[in-house]
Amino acid sequence: QPQLRASGAVVDVGLEPRPGWTRKAGSLPLGTSAAEARELLKPLAATPVLRLPHARGLLCSIDDAAAFNSLADRLLRIPTWCAKCFQPCSKELAGWLPAEEIRRGGGWDKMSYCMKVDVPPKFDAGGACSLNVQP
């Protein structure tokens, strides 16, 4: 898309620990709220793509958890993905997946595999913030 090739169309947003974070354009503190992140990102509102290095520990408060969970239910899904194995999948995929995962994703026969991904848990508005920023 041509608009994404324009200068400034993609901005890298830095994530920094809150202690020592100083307010500057293109940076967010970890452990922020949705309202605070929205306010801090206002100067970049016209930017088509904001690229984050990760989202671990970014949000610890969401204004409307029910609305967020409703949106997440629609967006945080991995489409069904199946593959045909050229030998029994239990043998061919053993180098990458544990046996239990291969059984869980058993397809229509022993020569197919369908990946099954659990839906992420609901956001708990009353829970404690976990910054989990270790890669």
Side-chain angles (χ1 to χ4, degrees):
Q1 296 188 1
Q3 70 269 26
L4 296 181
R5 284 180 249 164
S7 177
V10 177
V11 172
D12 289 309
V13 176
L15 303 177
E16 301 173 22
R18 188 171 288 276
W21 176 78
T22 56
R23 186 178 180 129
K24 60 186 172 207
S27 143
L28 291 173
L30 293 171
T32 189
S33 70
E36 181 184 21
R38 188 172 33 256
E39 185 63 32
L40 292 169
L41 293 173
K42 271 186 182 177
L44 300 172
T47 305
V49 176
L50 299 178
R51 188 169 40 199
L52 301 170
H54 61 79
R56 293 181 307 275
L58 177 58
L59 290 178
C60 285
S61 169
I62 294 179
D63 304 333
D64 184 347
F68 176 81
N69 284 328
S70 176
L71 176 65
D73 284 344
R74 294 189 311 271
L75 295 178
L76 300 179
R77 299 223 182 261
I78 302 215
T80 301
W81 176 87
C82 295
K84 180 174 175 47
C85 299
F86 293 97
Q87 55 185 317
C89 291
S90 59
K91 181 177 179 183
E92 189 169 338
L93 299 176
W96 297 279
L97 299 171
E100 176 56 35
E101 184 61 30
I102 296 170
R103 277 191 296 279
R104 181 177 180 226
W108 52 94
D109 60 27
K110 292 181 183 197
M111 303 297 282
S112 65
Y113 172 80
C114 293
M115 182 175 69
K116 300 203 184 332
V117 179
D118 294 328
V119 176
K122 301 276 187 207
F123 180 80
D124 178 10
C129 179
S130 171
L131 291 183
N132 187 23
V133 292
Q134 300 301 317

